[in-house]
Amino acid sequence: MASTVFPPSPAILAPIADHDATFPVRRIFCVGRNYAAHRAEMGGDDREPPFFFTKPADALVASGAAIPYPSATHNLHHEVELVIAIGVGGANIAVGDALGHVYGYAVGVDLTRRDLQAAAKSKGHPWDSAKGFDLSAPLGAIAARPGSDLQGGLRLSVNGAPRQAAHLSDMIWSAPDIIAECSRLWRLAPGDLIFTGTPDGVGPLEPGDAVHAVIDGLPALDFRIV
Ligand code: MN
């Protein structure tokens, strides 16, 4: 094999609950404005459909981490989300076939530099620096649920105080809808993750905060901001 000028980046490996093997991550897609109440709190138009953005795979951070308060923001926000782990790739997937592409599910938090996002929105600029920064994607262990849908509640608390609470059935696009839509825009591959959007109740995090995020039936996600 040809040599490289410096060591290749390490593989991004996400833990799987009750499994010695890990889930090798390829890409992270994210859905924006997939809950009507969150779309309203962000000032969105109620006729506007959800949309996609991305985070780099190396933005992932496992449960239990201490995450330094990010640079270049004074308004770091939490967004609790269901995350779909893709196990079978494909393009132009039909909604009715979409669950066959699921490896499993996890709870994730889409950390957001809300001040940079607001500035980008006002100028029509991209969201990358607001959404795709280092350590911006805390992720709980993936629960293997091949071919399955998932229903239940999702909740996030900060220092024990409830901040976000909703039900997955509140999503505008369901998990099969999201897989189908995403696969029209990108050929999905095993290892892709999709953050499916957050309900209302997003809010600021400060150094010292302890975040606890849960979705019924999935391993919890805990992290601290330091
Ligand atoms: Mn989000």
Side-chain angles (χ1 to χ4, degrees):
M1 195 168 115
S3 62
T4 56
V5 296
F6 48 79
S9 302
I12 310 298
L13 304 173
I16 301 170
D18 305 317
H19 204 315
D20 290 336
T22 56
F23 184 89
V25 176
R26 185 162 185 258
R27 295 173 293 186
I28 303 176
F29 301 105
C30 304
V31 180
R33 296 185 184 165
N34 196 27
Y35 290 78
H38 173 63
R39 183 173 58 186
E41 77 179 348
M42 299 305 294
D45 183 323
D46 63 9
R47 294 161 301 182
E48 177 196 24
F51 55 88
F52 292 95
F53 59 93
T54 66
K55 292 177 185 263
D58 63 6
L60 277 183
V61 54
S63 187
I67 299 176
Y69 194 91
S71 62
T73 184
H74 299 286
N75 196 14
L76 176 69
H77 269 208
H78 56 78
E79 298 190 351
V80 63
E81 311 199 357
L82 172 70
V83 179
I84 305 167
I86 297 294
V88 178
N92 296 312
I93 297 165
V95 172
D97 297 332
L99 293 177
H101 296 260
V102 170
Y103 174 80
Y105 296 97
V107 56
V109 171
D110 168 16
L111 288 175
T112 301
R113 286 167 166 148
R114 194 69 76 200
D115 43 2
L116 269 60
Q117 186 194 31
K121 282 182 188 174
S122 71
K123 294 174 182 159
H125 285 176
W127 286 10
D128 302 59
S129 63
K131 288 291 197 178
F133 53 93
D134 297 342
L135 309 181
S136 61
L139 185 76
I142 295 169
R145 300 273 192 278
S148 300
D149 202 357
L150 186 75
Q151 285 303 331
L154 68 170
R155 295 172 295 284
L156 180 142
S157 62
V158 178
N159 305 322
R163 290 275 189 94
Q164 295 187 268
H167 195 278
L168 295 174
S169 63
D170 297 330
M171 292 199 293
I172 295 168
W173 281 349
S174 68
D177 294 336
I178 289 166
I179 292 165
E181 285 285 339
C182 197
S183 78
R184 288 194 316 112
L185 298 164
W186 297 272
R187 175 177 291 278
L188 293 177
D192 288 338
L193 298 176
I194 310 175
F195 281 60
T196 60
T198 196
D200 61 323
V202 301
L205 294 171
E206 302 292 344
D209 283 347
V211 178
H212 179 65
V214 290
I215 293 177
D216 295 331
L218 301 181
L221 165 63
D222 288 277
F223 63 92
R224 289 183 304 118
I225 303 296
V226 298

